[in-house]
Every structure is written in C-alpha cells, then in structure tokens.
Amino acid sequence: QVQLVESGGGLVQAGGSLRLSCAASGRTFSNYAAAWFRQTPGKERELVAAISWSGSNRRYADSVQGRFTIARDNAKNTVDHQMSSLKSDDTAVYYCAIEKTDWVRMEYEYWGQGTQVTVSS
C-alpha cells in the first residue's frame, strides 16, 4: 500500500509564491515518475507538471511554464512543486500522483488526497 500526502497548500496573494510537497510512504515503488495535477469544480483535471525518476524528463502545462518548477528527492521519497507568480486561475485542488513505469506508460495510478491552493486577486 502506498500513501501520498500533500502539504503546503493555502491562501496566497496573486503574484506570490507557494511550495507544495508530496511525501510518499508505505510500499513505494522504485524508479517511479511523479506528477502534480490540479482540478477545479466544473473543470477537467489537468496535468500541471511531471518528472521522471532521474529528473531528466520534465513536463509542464503551457499555462504554468516558466512559473512552476517540479523537483524531487528520491532519498527522502518527496516531490516538491515550487509555484511562483501565482494567478487566480491557479486556484485549484492540487494532487500528487506517481506511476511505476517511469515515463513509459504514464499511467498515474496512485494519488494523494489533494491540497487546496487559493490565489486571491
């Protein structure tokens, strides 16, 4: 059993920054890719950022390119998400997810419960 716990969400002013963290525990997998998704009521869940095990491969949504940075510390089983220049459109519940094929299938089967990020204008 794998547990993913997100932290760092909260209320932030537009233009501000926020750092999210995802901690994996339990029976984790080696060489897994990780990603951050977000979802707003009435809107489809979207991929925000993804990172391969080695960090060589990264992917960002066009809307966050240049503002968000995903990183990981495999020794600690953590995945961080630095968000800068936040906009009101970034308001959403952010989810951490992992997939065990490491950039092959890109099927995110393990999810955290999410953390709320609210950006006020």
Side-chain angles (χ1 to χ4, degrees), residues 29 32-35 37 59 97-111:
F29 301 96
Y32 60 87
F37 292 79
R59 178 184 177 186
I98 65 173
E99 65 93 17
K100 61 183 179 181
T101 68
D102 190 24
W103 222 260
V104 178
R105 295 180 181 177
M106 299 289 283
E107 297 177 350
Y108 295 91
E109 300 179 348
Y110 305 92
W111 298 80

Side-chain angles (χ1 to χ4, degrees), residues 12-18 67-68 83-88 90 119:
V12 64
Q13 297 293 319
S17 300
L18 204 62
R67 299 188 297 117
F68 293 4
M83 305 183 294
S84 300
S85 301
L86 285 164
K87 307 174 181 179
S88 59
D90 295 320
V119 183

Side-chain angles (χ1 to χ4, degrees), residues 12-106:
V12 64
Q13 297 293 319
S17 300
L18 204 62
R19 182 185 294 273
L20 305 181
S21 182
C22 175
S25 62
R27 190 176 180 179
T28 58
F29 301 96
S30 298
N31 303 101
Y32 60 87
W36 286 93
F37 292 79
R38 67 186 181 187
Q39 187 167 27
T40 301
K43 189 177 181 180
E44 296 290 331
R45 177 185 292 173
E46 65 174 335
L47 175 68
V48 179
I51 185 171
S52 63
W53 173 261
S54 67
S56 297
N57 294 313
R58 291 181 174 86
R59 178 184 177 186
Y60 296 96
D62 290 340
S63 60
V64 306
Q65 182 70 41
R67 299 188 297 117
F68 293 4
T69 302
I70 187 171
R72 66 192 302 164
D73 186 336
N74 293 335
K76 298 180 179 179
N77 273 331
T78 58
V79 182
D80 293 340
H81 192 198
Q82 177 65 45
M83 305 183 294
S84 300
S85 301
L86 285 164
K87 307 174 181 179
S88 59
D89 289 345
D90 295 320
T91 296
V93 177
Y94 284 73
Y95 298 89
C96 175
I98 65 173
E99 65 93 17
K100 61 183 179 181
T101 68
D102 190 24
W103 222 260
V104 178
R105 295 180 181 177
M106 299 289 283

